[in-house]
Amino acid sequence: MPKYVIGIDLGTTNCALAYAEAPADPREPASVTLESIPQLVNPGEVRDESLLASFLYIAGATDFPAGSLSLPWPSDEHMVVGELARKRGVESARRLVSSAKSWLSHSGVDRTSAILPPTAPEGVEKISPLEAARRYLDHLRQAWDSKHPDAPFADQQVLVTVPASFDAVARELTQRAAEEAGYKSVILLEEPQAAFYAWIERHADWRDRVRIGDLILVVDIGGGTTDFTLIAVTEREGELQLERVAVGEHILLGGDNIDLALARHIESQLAAKGTKLDSLQLHALWQQCRAAKEQLLSEDAQKAEHPVTILGKGTGLVGGTIKAKLRREDIDRILLDGFFPTASSSDMPARRRAGLAELGLPYAADAAITRHLARFLRQQASTAEHGTVRRGASGLAAPTHILFNGGVLRAPIVRDRIIDVLNSWLAAEGLPAVQPLFGEDLMHAVARGAAYYGTARQGRGVRIRGGVPRTYYIGIESAMPAVPGMPAPMKALVVAPFGMEEGTGVRIENQEFGLYVGEPAEFRFLLSATRKNDKAGDLIDDPGEDIEELALMEVTLTGNQGEMAPVSLESLVTETGQLQLWCVARDGRRWKLEFNVREQAV
Amino acid sequence: MSRIVLAFRSFFSILFRDTLPEEVAKAYGYSKAGAVKAKAVAATPMAPEVKTSDGALQMLGILQRDGRLVDLLMEDISGAQDEQIGAAFRSVQEQCRDSLEKYFRLSPVIDGVEGSYTKIESSDPAVVKLLGNVPASGKAQGGLLRHKGWRAERVDLPKIVPSQKPDVIAPAEIEIE
């Protein structure tokens, strides 16, 4: 019996860890505590910080003085994790692994092969996105064990959060990273849900604040990613119930983009005056702009400008100092026009047009978060039939409440703009304005909420019902005469419908495959974020743009050589939220389909 | 033996033979028996080979690393514009203060209002310094608080790793193109 429930926010730029005591009395409210995380902050200096910087630096022999990378626990000393990695990475960027989580969810690369950092010089040992995630999770486990010697991590109930937009492969990789990091019983939870749990944890009277039929929009803007989720308030057997009814696409756009845009703005001002910055100075400027932005945008800020200073490079500090000012009106303009422009609910984000792109992370082509939000709410109109989604006259999903999460949304100006834009859409549908739900501590809410959910699973508190946030398909080639140069048309068979719940399974009876035993058979695996009314076993003749190819799935049937076994497919969502696909023979034999992350989806 | 000679002999002896020269060890009280005993007690491989006086250099190093304080103090600023100095100082001050707050907890010795009458509660001249018309007895009931004083309530400096060379306050930086 675990003593604690531990919630881990495995973030793109920061990780956090919170815990609650496992419930003894199911009626008592859970009280969640944040745990600080010891990490190297300077060579030879380990300090407790409230967040673990999600950066990994692959140190060479000459990077740090010998013996200055020891941690309070045995560690691989040349793989530095945390604040020191982030700091040193500024000076020596080609050895720095950053945004590993975004790489983990990037289906265009082999996420188990050593590809990070992508710019590492020849001869530097690279690591895979999976391995980077494993190292962050391992650091968090060791940190816990160093602080709680009487309650070993491996004995506790652990929840790790993932973006709601993570597909089944990214979720499985996260789970695998956790298992390889020595996590015994790990459950995955979606971040926006965790943020909502954190709100519930802080508001014991939440049942009085929402009503049946309400729709809660969770907007989560972190350092590197933006995520939208809709949660509906429904009723079952007279009890209020929460149901996660929609999840947006994974958008690689966040606070770092905003800070960089501000830095570029100052850089161009300086360039106009004839001052050129090198890459280190630009990075210093980036950090300064982040600090200046936080100063100018905080709740009680009165100032109209904040100085931005880049100190001289060498020992000539005063003489070489470059100074500039970040003006409040410039921030407002860049932030509001660039990232949160007013838009109508039918505006859609611009699509990437370039035919060739640098091989890297698929960053969002359009920086306008409000247009991404418009698309998300509009998508719910077209095909979504799942659950009870409150809609306007035009079919636009119409939230009654909005909950913010993530560092960017600490700025009132950003929250106000999102609310204003959303309200203008609601007004056009003839609906009343949205009500903001105030969360606290937006940097740690996800970890807190995860710990709370852990106690809710054990019978205390409320659970959000959600299930699979996508519809999943297996691609089937049509049986047609081969035409040279033309791939056979593909049909898509629904194997796991949207919203399929944890702990349930579906057997697709009407479609059998003849599989030869003893050799690997491959399936194409597809998904859709928007087709929510497809039922298990449906065959989609002409999959359009709303169905994306995700990965290959592979199965090797053991059995008599040369035998062909007729199998049908079965999908299963485990209690921990993992989607599994199985081949089931007529005689009841079963084989699991494994994601083949080594092959790239085309 | 001059201290410089001793220092050099110790340095090279430790570097190449992993031990102190015997006469140095004797002169400074680092006998072999003591060293063995210390090893047996402390299980960590990093027995501190650094002197406590290195703390001063460490502090300079920290203020330079976090706030570039040594650069600022050592620079000839006679020809610089006040505006330029102000901009640089603002940044150095902010970062040095953050650094001080991280490694120390500083508080006033007397938490009063400067310029107001304050009772004297300590006769220790290291804690309260009396100025002006101090009576012959050196004792007084109270007076105007000129300066609240500073006290370090807590010091939380990191351990010095032997390989870090405390005498190097800031390493030279070379950018490879």
Side-chain angles (χ1 to χ4, degrees):
Chain A
M1 181 70 191
K3 187 170 176 207
Y4 296 110
V5 178
I6 302 175
I8 288 179
D9 174 7
L10 179 65
T12 315
T13 48
N14 285 299
C15 301
L17 190 152
Y19 66 99
E21 247 177 77
D25 177 357
R27 287 153 303 177
E28 224 176 279
S31 124
V32 178
T33 316
L34 269 184
E35 185 60 277
S36 56
I37 303 154
Q39 60 197 285
L40 282 160
V41 294
N42 288 300
E45 183 182 354
V46 175
R47 279 191 100 82
D48 281 4
E49 299 281 338
S50 68
L51 298 167
L52 174 72
S54 312
F55 292 88
L56 188 146
Y57 186 84
I58 301 170
T62 57
D63 271 304
F64 301 103
S68 65
L69 298 179
S70 305
L71 287 167
W73 52 83
S75 64
D76 231 351
E77 294 201 357
H78 69 293
M79 295 276 183
V80 184
V81 169
E83 181 60 23
L84 177 61
R86 194 184 63 75
K87 273 190 192 165
R88 178 63 183 153
V90 174
E91 300 163 341
S92 172
R94 295 174 70 192
R95 285 173 170 269
L96 180 73
V97 177
S98 60
S99 299
K101 183 177 164 186
S102 298
W103 286 99
L104 198 63
S105 67
H106 180 16
S107 60
V109 296
D110 177 355
R111 291 160 268 181
T112 57
S113 74
I115 54 170
L116 299 179
T119 54
E122 198 83 5
V124 169
E125 174 197 357
K126 292 188 179 186
I127 61 169
S128 68
L130 177 72
E131 172 66 7
R134 185 195 73 78
R135 284 182 180 272
Y136 299 149
L137 291 166
D138 183 65
H139 187 104
L140 292 165
R141 176 177 64 85
Q142 303 269 23
W144 170 274
D145 279 341
S146 75
K147 302 215 151 202
H148 301 267
D150 55 325
F153 189 89
D155 296 347
Q156 315 308 318
Q157 170 73 66
V158 182
L159 292 107
V160 176
T161 62
V162 291
S165 49
F166 257 30
D167 61 42
V169 180
R171 282 170 202 240
E172 176 146 321
L173 287 169
T174 308
Q175 182 105 20
R176 206 165 118 193
E179 279 159 14
E180 288 179 10
Y183 288 36
K184 287 273 156 43
S185 60
V186 57
I187 294 170
L188 300 185
L189 172 67
E190 292 172 10
E191 284 159 12
Q193 287 191 44
F196 191 66
Y197 283 122
W199 179 79
I200 289 177
E201 189 236 331
R202 293 289 179 95
H203 298 89
D205 63 339
W206 69 272
R207 283 187 177 79
D208 302 330
R209 293 172 183 245
V210 292
R211 283 190 317 207
I212 294 162
D214 281 355
L215 187 64
I216 297 147
L217 169 67
V218 184
V219 176
D220 184 353
I221 308 180
T225 54
T226 293
D227 236 330
F228 304 119
T229 284
L230 283 173
I231 296 171
V233 182
T234 57
E235 185 187 17
R236 188 189 257 180
E237 289 157 13
E239 276 271 324
L240 270 194
Q241 183 170 274
L242 298 166
E243 198 177 339
R244 193 264 285 108
V245 287
V247 163
E249 286 163 43
H250 198 56
I251 308 168
L252 288 188
L253 179 64
D256 292 347
N257 302 60
I258 295 172
D259 300 332
L260 188 58
L262 297 175
R264 292 287 183 197
H265 166 71
I266 302 271
E267 187 193 25
S268 66
Q269 274 187 353
L270 290 170
K273 286 193 276 177
T275 311
K276 276 203 71 173
L277 301 181
D278 65 21
S279 66
L280 276 179
Q281 287 177 315
L282 182 65
H283 197 280
L285 179 63
W286 187 354
Q287 301 305 319
Q288 290 262 313
C289 284
R290 181 194 312 266
K293 179 196 74 179
E294 279 168 12
Q295 284 283 323
L296 286 172
L297 294 185
S298 65
E299 306 268 355
D300 47 359
Q302 303 290 332
K303 288 194 296 180
E305 57 183 33
H306 196 275
V308 170
T309 313
I310 307 157
L311 296 176
K313 275 188 271 194
T315 53
L317 173 131
V318 174
T321 288
I322 299 164
K323 50 188 192 302
K325 280 183 179 124
L326 190 59
R327 293 201 311 257
R328 165 100 204 201
E329 59 190 76
D330 288 336
I331 298 192
D332 288 1
R333 185 174 50 75
I334 290 167
L335 212 58
L336 298 185
D337 296 354
F339 291 91
F340 301 94
T342 48
S344 91
S345 65
S346 53
D347 283 349
M348 292 293 120
R351 289 270 177 188
R352 197 174 295 283
R353 296 201 183 274
L356 285 172
E358 196 181 4
L359 194 64
L361 289 173
Y363 291 108
D366 191 336
I369 290 174
T370 40
R371 283 199 285 271
H372 287 284
L373 180 59
R375 179 167 68 180
F376 170 65
L377 294 178
R378 185 60 67 186
Q379 274 173 346
Q380 309 316 317
S382 49
T383 49
E385 290 304 327
H386 179 84
T388 37
V389 177
R390 184 173 177 265
R391 294 204 181 81
S394 76
L396 185 80
T400 51
H401 297 78
I402 186 164
L403 177 73
F404 295 111
N405 189 54
V408 174
L409 293 160
R410 284 182 297 179
I413 175 182
V414 177
R415 299 199 299 263
D416 292 348
R417 170 53 70 94
I418 293 176
I419 291 172
D420 287 349
V421 170
L422 185 56
N423 281 343
S424 74
W425 300 343
L426 292 173
E429 308 278 329
L431 292 167
V434 75
Q435 274 181 45
L437 302 176
F438 290 104
E440 289 137 74
D441 193 11
L442 302 191
M443 295 296 278
H444 304 101
V446 165
R448 297 188 76 98
Y452 175 87
Y453 169 75
T455 64
R457 273 181 63 88
Q458 299 181 8
R460 181 160 66 178
V462 66
R463 275 181 76 171
I464 301 172
R465 292 170 60 236
V468 182
R470 299 277 188 268
T471 306
Y472 286 97
Y473 309 81
I474 288 283
I476 295 170
E477 273 185 21
S478 310
M480 285 180 77
V483 179
M486 294 280 284
M490 188 181 60
K491 294 179 183 176
L493 175 73
V494 181
V495 286
F498 184 95
M500 191 176 152
E501 287 201 39
E502 288 86 359
T504 65
V506 181
R507 175 91 173 259
I508 292 118
E509 303 279 5
N510 54 358
Q511 193 83 31
E512 275 197 339
F513 303 88
L515 289 186
Y516 287 98
V517 297
E519 58 186 74
E522 282 183 343
F523 294 84
R524 293 166 78 177
F525 191 46
L526 307 99
L527 66 78
S528 172
T530 51
R531 300 181 62 103
K532 296 186 191 170
N533 43 357
D534 290 345
K535 298 274 174 297
D538 284 0
L539 199 57
I540 316 299
D541 267 343
D542 183 19
E545 274 200 355
D546 52 356
I547 298 184
E548 295 166 48
E549 181 125 17
L550 178 59
L552 287 174
M553 301 202 77
E554 208 174 59
V555 65
T556 305
L557 309 188
T558 47
N560 303 325
Q561 198 79 44
E563 180 197 335
M564 195 189 74
V567 294
S568 61
L569 289 169
E570 191 177 292
S571 61
L572 193 74
V573 183
T574 65
E575 278 296 335
T576 60
Q578 288 294 299
L579 175 66
Q580 294 181 352
L581 292 177
W582 294 79
C583 288
V584 186
R586 284 180 191 159
D587 58 13
R589 284 179 298 162
R590 300 162 61 86
W591 300 271
K592 191 180 168 200
L593 268 79
E594 303 283 357
F595 294 117
N596 184 345
V597 288
R598 294 204 167 276
E599 294 290 330
Q600 288 184 19
V602 184
Chain B
M1 218 180 311
S2 88
R3 277 191 296 169
I4 292 171
V5 174
L6 269 181
F8 269 102
R9 289 199 47 197
S10 309
F11 177 78
F12 286 109
S13 179
I14 289 170
L15 188 62
F16 294 116
R17 273 176 285 173
D18 198 27
T19 176
L20 273 178
E22 249 177 57
E23 63 269 46
V24 180
K26 220 180 280 169
Y28 285 85
Y30 294 113
S31 71
K32 280 256 159 95
V36 170
K37 199 176 161 196
K39 247 184 200 167
V41 173
T44 49
M46 257 190 292
E49 289 177 37
V50 283
K51 300 180 218 72
T52 47
S53 62
D54 292 338
L57 290 166
Q58 182 194 17
M59 197 59 228
L60 266 186
I62 286 173
L63 291 173
Q64 165 65 16
R65 181 194 69 205
D66 293 354
R68 311 262 319 263
L69 183 70
V70 178
D71 286 345
L72 180 79
L73 296 179
M74 296 306 288
E75 190 173 353
D76 175 13
I77 55 166
S78 51
Q81 300 278 321
D82 281 2
E83 203 193 339
Q84 186 83 359
I85 298 171
F89 176 75
R90 198 185 281 279
S91 163
V92 173
Q93 194 261 354
E94 197 175 309
Q95 287 167 54
C96 285
R97 190 192 50 209
D98 283 355
S99 191
L100 273 186
E101 283 173 352
K102 199 156 56 163
Y103 297 106
F104 300 91
R105 186 155 67 222
L106 300 183
S107 65
V109 176
I110 296 175
D111 195 6
V113 180
E114 289 178 1
S116 67
Y117 181 83
T118 305
K119 274 177 113 179
I120 297 170
E121 277 164 3
S122 168
S123 58
D124 183 350
V127 179
V128 175
K129 186 160 82 172
L130 301 182
L131 319 170
N133 294 322
V134 185
S137 69
K139 292 201 170 99
Q141 289 289 314
L144 286 186
L145 180 63
R146 281 269 305 263
H147 191 294
K148 290 193 266 194
W150 289 111
R151 180 203 295 276
E153 282 185 33
R154 181 181 55 91
V155 182
D156 188 15
L157 285 166
K159 283 207 185 88
I160 301 171
V161 179
S163 62
Q164 271 178 319
K165 300 194 179 50
D167 60 324
V168 178
I169 292 164
E173 294 175 4
I174 295 175
E175 188 177 345
I176 320 282
E177 308 232 347

